[in-house]
Amino acid sequence: MATVMNHKEIILNCTRVNHQYMRLPAGKVPGLKVMAALYKRIASQSLDCAQAWVQDSPCPNHEPAVDAFWWGAVAWSDAFGCSMGVDMAEWSRLFVYPHDQFANYLRPGNPPPPLEEVHESPANVILTLDARWTELVIKLTAQWGFFHHLKDKDAMLEAQRLQGELRTPGSPTYKAFLESDLAFFHHLFKNFPFSEQTEKYINAWLKRAEEAL
Ligand SMILES: [Zn+2]
């Protein structure tokens, strides 16, 4: 890498990737319209907040779902590293820590307990943790923003229905999410200054996940 980014710039880039890819194949999976609209709002508010963070400005107003999304990402990132089997000292320092700092900027507090790690094929790890992350985001959104939650009731219903489909290997929803996640991860992980060994390990692991498509 030509320039070394600090953890705030790294997260800003992540919010850009998130804004572009959304990890939600709404076009390919029917019945995700409301959820896609909510994810779009989360992505664009996250980008605004990350921009303010990089400039050391106070956090702009944002919806509770944004807090839920990023605290969910903290819980997810820890479990994802464990499940992949990467060097956890490096992963915590380079990947979990920036997410944790951003979540604390959005809504200072204690992280929810990490998601449970998954000992299955790489594709199943990705989608099981996707489902658990979504579940946690719903739970935290309801907890932190009851009135917003009512507004987003339909999105939450869609998300709940999705849970089962993400746990059905080979289903069209499973494949569509896996494909979109893999494209997302390739762009996302590029932002982090992992060691060469870890980078190789992650790429090989993602290649194994690709075989399930
Ligand atoms: Zn904000």
Side-chain angles (χ1 to χ4, degrees), residues 45 49 59-62 105-106:
Q45 292 174 35
C49 295
C59 196
N61 274 340
H62 58 266
Y105 170 73
L106 294 166

Side-chain angles (χ1 to χ4, degrees), residues 121-127 168-172 174-176 178-179 182 205-213:
S121 69
N124 280 355
V125 165
I126 291 173
L127 293 171
T168 311
S171 74
Y174 181 97
K175 287 193 172 185
L178 182 59
E179 200 180 354
L182 286 172
W205 191 89
L206 292 175
K207 262 226 135 43
R208 280 168 58 211
E210 237 168 73
E211 286 161 16
L213 284 175

Side-chain angles (χ1 to χ4, degrees), residues 47-177:
L47 184 57
D48 291 344
C49 295
Q51 248 146 7
W53 193 38
V54 165
Q55 293 159 3
D56 296 311
S57 305
C59 196
N61 274 340
H62 58 266
E63 294 175 55
V66 178
D67 301 327
F69 181 87
W70 288 94
W71 275 116
V74 175
W76 168 86
S77 65
D78 196 72
F80 194 70
C82 290
S83 303
M84 274 198 296
V86 289
D87 172 354
M88 281 309 283
E90 180 183 341
W91 182 260
S92 300
R93 184 169 52 87
L94 296 179
F95 193 80
V96 182
Y97 173 79
H99 284 86
D100 180 88
Q101 292 296 296
F102 186 50
N104 264 294
Y105 170 73
L106 294 166
R107 181 190 168 94
N110 294 315
L115 299 177
E116 219 175 294
E117 60 185 288
V118 179
H119 297 287
E120 285 182 47
S121 69
N124 280 355
V125 165
I126 291 173
L127 293 171
T128 303
L129 289 180
D130 250 13
R132 289 191 192 156
W133 179 8
T134 306
E135 214 168 346
L136 181 60
V137 172
I138 293 169
K139 210 184 96 188
L140 295 176
T141 302
Q143 200 176 315
W144 292 339
F146 187 65
F147 293 106
H148 281 282
H149 173 57
L150 287 183
K151 190 177 77 181
D152 294 324
K153 187 172 60 32
D154 293 338
M156 299 305 157
L157 288 175
E158 278 182 3
Q160 261 155 359
R161 206 192 46 234
L162 187 65
Q163 304 295 307
E165 291 178 40
L166 287 180
R167 289 186 169 111
T168 311
S171 74
T173 302
Y174 181 97
K175 287 193 172 185
F177 267 82

